Amino acid sequence: QVQLVESGGGLVQAGGSLRLSCAASGRTLSSYAMGWFRQGPGKERAFVAEISYDGGRTNVAESAKGRFTISRDNAKNTVYLQMNSLNPEDTAVYYCAAGLTSPFSVRTGIRRWGQGTQVTVSS
């Protein structure tokens, strides 16, 4: 089974940037669509971005478009989320997900989750 470990979270001021990483072990990620979700205080977990198994397709939530970029390096078995122009509304625990049902999307189907990494944006 694939195991996912997120890193790169932390405290940043509004307008700042962070890059999250999601490293996999157990299995190669090259067959899976990968994505990021987040769960803010008192909110449900929400989709942020996804990338197809080969990196050829990406989707980003409207709230993150123009600010967040998802990428992957299959040779390193790692997926990234570059977050720019952060604002306090981006404060959340960010979760990496591997899509086990479709190689193109993680928004539906069975997913494997990481443990999450906290991102806090101060105003």
Side-chain angles (χ1 to χ4, degrees):
Q1 288 184 344
V2 62
Q3 295 179 329
L4 306 173
V5 178
E6 301 95 334
S7 61
L11 175 64
V12 64
Q13 289 188 332
S17 298
L18 284 173
R19 189 176 81 154
L20 306 183
S21 299
C22 173
S25 62
R27 294 191 67 175
T28 178
L29 288 182
S30 60
S31 300
Y32 301 113
M34 298 296 298
W36 291 92
F37 292 73
R38 68 185 182 186
Q39 187 165 13
K43 298 180 180 180
E44 294 185 352
R45 192 171 298 189
F47 168 77
V48 176
E50 67 181 356
I51 187 166
S52 61
Y53 74 103
D54 60 354
R57 303 182 191 180
T58 62
N59 287 298
V60 180
E62 285 296 324
S63 60
K65 277 186 178 177
R67 301 187 300 126
F68 293 8
T69 303
I70 187 170
S71 62
R72 66 190 299 160
D73 185 338
N74 284 344
K76 295 183 178 180
N77 235 20
T78 303
V79 177
Y80 305 97
L81 184 68
Q82 177 67 44
M83 305 187 295
N84 300 326
S85 302
L86 286 162
N87 58 63
E89 290 69 40
D90 296 316
T91 295
V93 177
Y94 283 71
Y95 296 91
C96 176
L100 305 185
T101 302
S102 169
F104 297 103
S105 178
V106 298
R107 285 179 285 177
T108 59
I110 300 171
R111 295 176 286 252
R112 178 77 63 196
W113 298 98
Q115 85 289 349
T117 185
Q118 176 70 47
V119 171
T120 302
V121 184
S122 63
S123 58

